[in-house]
Amino acid sequence: LQDETALQQATPSSCKRVFQQCSVPQQTAPRSSRPCMRESKVEQQQRRKLMASHLYALDKLSTASPEEACSGAQEELRKMEAAGLGTNANAYNKAIALCAADAAVASAIFERLHALGLATEASYASLLRVQVSQGLLSASSGTLDRMLSTEGMRPKLRNTSPLLLALCAAGRRAEASALWRRLSSLGLAFSEKEYGAVVLMHARAHAVGEMLRRMDELLLRHPRPGRETVQMIEEAYAALGRDAAIENDGCISTVFRDVVAVNDADADADADAAEA
């Protein structure tokens, strides 16, 4: 009854006022609190331009000192939020990378993005690179576990290779081998760089069997390895030491000679092509 009475008392002028409240932009209120608002094409273009300017500003910070880059990145995010631009995953990913010298800040930026449900594979990759660069390998492993347990996330070399290479360089064979097996089971194809690193790791530990298995896989998947890979295999061969090298000479030397022969053949072919 009260609703019917209110409806009967409504006049054309009162209805008009309500319509005007929904139709006229309330410039003093944040966009999210303005009733019945829809952006015009002009406003959308303005917002895109403003967002582009912030992304450009973040890109320019890559030449600043680590401290200036991180503080500047945080300031750009604050400006974007104050302008009502919302959360842009690309901007946050850039900010994470710019805070590579401060893993705590980078992690905080990532968590803000993750809390909004907007963290992407690139977001995880950015944080992983920061953590690895700071030597936080356990934290990196936790971040990778978190990513792989998230629905829709798939491993890629850009988000897994930094950690794998760091584990190999640190001689953490158990963790590196476990990660290798896990990523292989998920269908990730390793490049020469990962193969070279794991071969060298096993060689330094005198784990000849594992070294040979990975060298065999390397040649099957990358039958024409580059010079950098050959250099890593040379280093691996040298790391075995004289006694181990002699003891396993029949196996290792054969594989090693095959790699060098292929590489030399490619070098000769390149030289012939250049002369022609």
Side-chain angles (χ1 to χ4, degrees):
L1 182 60
Q2 291 179 349
D3 292 341
E4 291 179 0
T5 302
L7 183 59
Q8 292 171 357
Q9 292 175 348
T11 63
S13 59
S14 65
C15 290
K16 184 177 181 181
R17 284 195 299 274
V18 172
F19 177 77
Q20 288 175 336
Q21 289 176 355
C22 292
S23 302
V24 178
Q26 299 181 14
Q27 299 297 338
T28 58
R31 180 168 296 280
S32 59
S33 64
R34 300 177 197 170
C36 312
M37 282 296 295
R38 285 188 177 180
E39 285 188 330
S40 67
K41 289 184 178 180
V42 172
E43 288 176 317
Q44 290 175 358
Q45 291 175 350
Q46 291 174 338
R47 285 169 65 80
R48 283 195 292 269
K49 287 182 179 179
L50 186 56
M51 177 62 75
S53 69
H54 285 294
L55 292 175
Y56 178 69
L58 287 167
D59 287 335
K60 287 182 65 178
L61 287 170
S62 62
T63 59
S65 68
E67 296 77 12
E68 292 176 342
C70 189
S71 61
Q74 294 176 80
E75 181 60 26
E76 285 301 322
L77 293 182
R78 283 192 287 269
K79 289 179 181 178
M80 290 170 58
E81 293 170 356
L85 293 177
T87 304
N88 181 284
N90 190 22
Y92 273 68
N93 296 344
K94 290 176 183 290
I96 292 170
L98 288 167
C99 289
D102 194 331
V105 173
S107 295
I109 295 173
F110 173 85
E111 292 302 338
R112 285 162 61 189
L113 188 63
H114 188 274
L116 294 170
L118 298 175
T120 64
E121 179 273 327
S123 307
Y124 281 98
S126 297
L127 180 59
L128 279 162
R129 283 193 291 269
V130 170
Q131 291 173 328
V132 170
S133 70
Q134 294 296 312
L136 304 173
L137 303 189
S138 295
S140 302
S141 296
T143 298
L144 183 58
D145 285 340
R146 191 176 175 185
M147 188 198 80
L148 294 178
S149 64
T150 301
E151 186 178 358
M153 294 286 180
R154 298 291 298 173
K156 296 182 179 180
L157 285 181
R158 73 172 180 176
N159 59 43
T160 58
S161 181
L163 176 57
L164 179 60
L165 295 177
L167 290 172
C168 290
R172 293 164 67 162
R173 290 183 60 235
E175 294 169 79
S177 296
L179 180 58
W180 182 281
R181 290 191 297 270
R182 183 181 185 185
L183 297 176
S184 295
S185 69
L186 293 173
L188 185 66
F190 297 108
S191 72
E192 291 181 37
K193 191 172 186 178
E194 290 76 45
Y195 273 105
V198 79
V199 163
L200 181 55
M201 175 188 69
H202 289 311
R204 285 171 174 166
H206 287 207
V208 178
E210 283 296 313
M211 173 188 169
L212 288 174
R213 275 191 285 274
R214 298 305 172 217
M215 285 180 69
D216 190 39
E217 289 178 16
L218 166 62
L219 293 177
L220 286 173
R221 290 167 173 74
H222 305 282
R224 295 183 176 275
R227 294 185 182 281
E228 183 177 349
T229 305
V230 170
Q231 289 173 356
M232 293 188 78
I233 295 175
E234 288 178 333
E235 186 177 349
Y237 190 63
L240 288 174
R242 182 176 180 276
D243 294 339
I246 293 173
E247 181 180 350
N248 296 278
D249 187 67
C251 297
I252 298 174
S253 292
T254 299
V255 177
F256 177 69
R257 281 197 298 271
D258 287 345
V259 173
V260 174
V262 169
N263 192 74
D264 288 345
D266 284 346
D268 292 340
D270 292 340
D272 292 340
E275 291 177 0

